[in-house]
Amino acid sequence: MNCLAFVPTKNGQATKAGLEALSYAKRCGATVTALMIGELNGDGGAGAAGASKVLHIEEHLQDEGQIARAVAAAADSEGATLVVAPHDHQGRAVAPRVAVRMGAGMVPGVTGVIEGSEVKKNVFSGKAMAHIQLSAGKNVLTTTPNAFGVDSDGSTAAVEAFAADLGEARLVVKGYEASSEDGSIPLPEASRVVSAGRGLKGPEHWGIVEELAQTIQATMACSRPVSDMGWRPHHEHVGQTGITIRPDLYIAAGISGAIQHLAGVNQSKVIVAINTDPEAPLFKAADYGIVGDAFEVLPQLTEAIKTMD
Ligand SMILES: Cc1cc2nc3c(=O)[nH]c(=O)nc-3n(C[C@H](O)[C@H](O)[C@H](O)COP(=O)(O)OP(=O)(O)OC[C@H]3O[C@@H](n4cnc5c(N)ncnc54)[C@H](O)[C@@H]3O)c2cc1C
């Protein structure tokens, strides 16, 4: 089976989510060609993650319609029956357009392979898993970031320039505004996250949350009401209507653990809940639970970590 992987780049390197999509395709036994767009250093890391070849478009494309045309053209030239892309902001916009162009089946947000051509994904806010049979002759999938991990065998792939009829750009990004000024790792890529909710009672109390996050080099997150009330910026909101995260460690203080919150955090490897209410639903999802007042527990935890060898 030939596969075309759309691998987004950042500063000349493949993004982690892009490499995961690539690794997924390679593990399915496909011969994988990566399409990479914009600045690229060498093969951008695609060879080590499983690409036999990289097709490269030097132009920095922003219009998702143009990117979709490029992906569909590359899939066609490679005879690909499978197209994979990361389920990130770009892959989510590009993949359905590619599926329409190819007349292919489409499964967004795949989280695992069952066997052969059967994949699974979260449904109903993470309360259930759908098992989906890929029965179309051609299929387009997006892989959920952090669901598959990145393979690396140290090899490199040959890079070929690729040209396609991209059509006209229908949108132009005029500029970017950083959502985070503190230089922390963006939430979807963070391996450690410290999060807090309404139990913190007001924005003036976030110092103790920030101190713990800084101490363990974690990224900050929060529950939805906290960002709705303007206590914290919207880009920190995790959950069903916010960002989905899968860190190695998720520490949540003063968060009850509503189903909509859990939908975005329940794939974390280790969950630590701090709550005064022993019946808080988050304790059921947690690996470690501390029944206690966040105003006492957070500073103690920070202090204890600071004094560890
Ligand atoms: C369609 C829809 C989508 C939604 N999407 C999201 C989403 O994406 N993300 C999200 O988070 N929510 C979402 N919500 C809201 C969700 O249902 C909950 O209302 C929300 O998650 C609750 O936030 P919280 O845990 O911060 O607050 P609360 O539910 O008020 O919980 C506060 C917790 O803090 C504890 N506490 C109080 N004082 C302390 C203290 N001193 N120390 C320690 N613990 C203390 C309390 O025991 C309580 O458990 C959504 C709701 C709907 C209807």
Side-chain angles (χ1 to χ4, degrees):
M1 173 174 56
N2 287 348
C3 170
L4 192 279
F6 168 53
V7 182
T9 57
K10 192 174 176 192
N11 301 326
Q13 287 300 118
T15 61
K16 182 179 165 229
L19 291 177
E20 274 192 275
L22 197 52
S23 304
Y24 161 84
K26 185 68 183 168
R27 275 181 235 162
C28 291
T31 302
V32 193
T33 299
L35 177 71
M36 302 173 84
I37 295 172
E39 182 193 347
L40 189 62
N41 299 329
D43 70 355
S52 315
K53 178 168 76 175
V54 172
L55 299 180
H56 180 220
I57 296 176
E58 203 172 337
E59 192 184 344
H60 175 58
L61 301 177
Q62 293 174 318
D63 181 296
E64 282 118 2
Q66 287 190 311
I67 298 172
R69 283 194 194 94
V71 174
D76 189 41
S77 81
E78 295 301 301
T81 51
L82 176 68
V83 171
V84 296
H87 196 70
D88 60 7
H89 74 281
Q90 219 169 40
R92 278 199 298 252
V94 166
R97 291 171 160 101
V98 173
V100 170
R101 288 188 168 273
M102 292 174 64
M106 161 88 206
V107 185
V110 170
T111 53
V113 179
I114 300 159
E115 65 176 49
S117 57
E118 225 178 305
V119 295
K120 60 183 173 181
K121 62 171 288 184
N122 291 340
V123 289
F124 304 127
S125 305
K127 278 187 279 186
M129 290 271 190
H131 292 195
I132 299 167
Q133 176 76 41
L134 305 173
S135 54
K138 291 179 180 175
N139 293 288
V140 178
L141 309 179
T142 57
T143 52
T144 299
N146 297 316
F148 294 99
V150 176
D151 294 334
S152 180
D153 67 2
S155 37
T156 51
V159 180
E160 289 175 15
F162 184 71
D165 178 7
L166 303 174
E168 266 182 41
R170 285 194 283 188
L171 66 85
V172 175
V173 178
K174 305 280 277 191
Y176 292 96
E177 188 185 328
S179 56
S180 151
E181 300 293 333
D182 61 4
S184 60
I185 298 168
L187 271 173
E189 291 159 35
S191 60
R192 295 173 193 165
V193 174
V194 174
S195 185
R198 206 148 44 179
L200 266 285
K201 317 241 186 305
E204 67 277 17
H205 298 133
W206 245 259
I208 51 174
V209 187
E210 278 164 352
E211 205 175 343
L212 175 60
Q214 275 163 18
T215 305
I216 61 168
Q217 287 101 46
T219 300
M220 300 274 292
C222 68
S223 65
R224 174 169 152 173
V226 161
S227 64
D228 282 351
M229 290 185 292
W231 293 2
R232 297 297 300 174
H234 280 288
H235 70 258
E236 289 186 4
H237 155 203
V238 289
Q240 179 190 328
T241 45
I243 294 171
T244 299
I245 57 169
R246 281 173 177 74
D248 293 335
L249 175 65
Y250 179 63
I251 301 178
I255 293 180
S256 55
I259 188 72
Q260 297 90 353
H261 184 83
L262 287 174
V265 306
N266 61 7
Q267 300 290 320
S268 306
K269 278 199 190 124
V270 175
I271 297 179
V272 180
I274 303 164
N275 201 303
T276 43
D277 176 7
E279 302 298 323
L282 191 54
F283 283 128
K284 291 201 176 73
D287 299 277
Y288 298 94
I290 303 172
V291 179
D293 186 334
F295 294 96
E296 292 168 15
V297 174
L298 285 173
Q300 284 174 14
L301 203 53
T302 306
E303 214 36 55
I305 293 167
K306 279 183 179 168
T307 53
M308 273 167 71
D309 287 335

